[in-house]
Amino acid sequence: MDQKQLTQTISIFATLTVIGILMIVAPYRIEVLEPEMLTALQNSLPLVGSAMLGAGLVFFLLEMTRMGREKSI
């Protein structure tokens, strides 16, 4: 396993995870004057954040599997 690839993979995973968590939590922590906007944010951002979190996990697992196969060859 190349150390640079491993560091890059972990960095991308951590970034996607943090962004996903922030998108899930943010709509419930911010103050918005318009109730319609607050409802729209609370309905949409957690879904996008969950997708980002899932994408980060899938990316990490695929990269670890790929690196493991390259190492064994």
Side-chain angles (χ1 to χ4, degrees):
M1 237 184 274
D2 185 20
Q3 188 66 26
K4 184 178 178 183
Q5 284 181 338
L6 182 61
T7 304
Q8 184 179 16
T9 301
I10 292 172
S11 299
I12 292 171
F13 169 68
T15 302
L16 288 172
T17 301
V18 168
I19 290 171
I21 290 171
L22 287 175
M23 290 180 86
I24 292 169
V25 174
Y28 302 104
R29 303 291 297 167
I30 59 174
E31 296 291 327
V32 180
L33 296 177
E34 299 157 2
E36 296 85 15
M37 178 67 79
L38 184 62
T39 302
L41 288 174
Q42 288 177 349
N43 287 336
S44 61
L45 279 183
L47 295 175
V48 176
S50 297
M52 294 289 284
L53 201 58
L57 182 61
V58 168
F59 170 77
F60 184 75
L61 292 174
L62 286 174
E63 284 297 307
M64 289 298 117
T65 303
R66 182 186 62 82
M67 286 182 197
R69 286 183 182 162
E70 286 179 357
K71 183 179 179 182
S72 66
I73 292 178

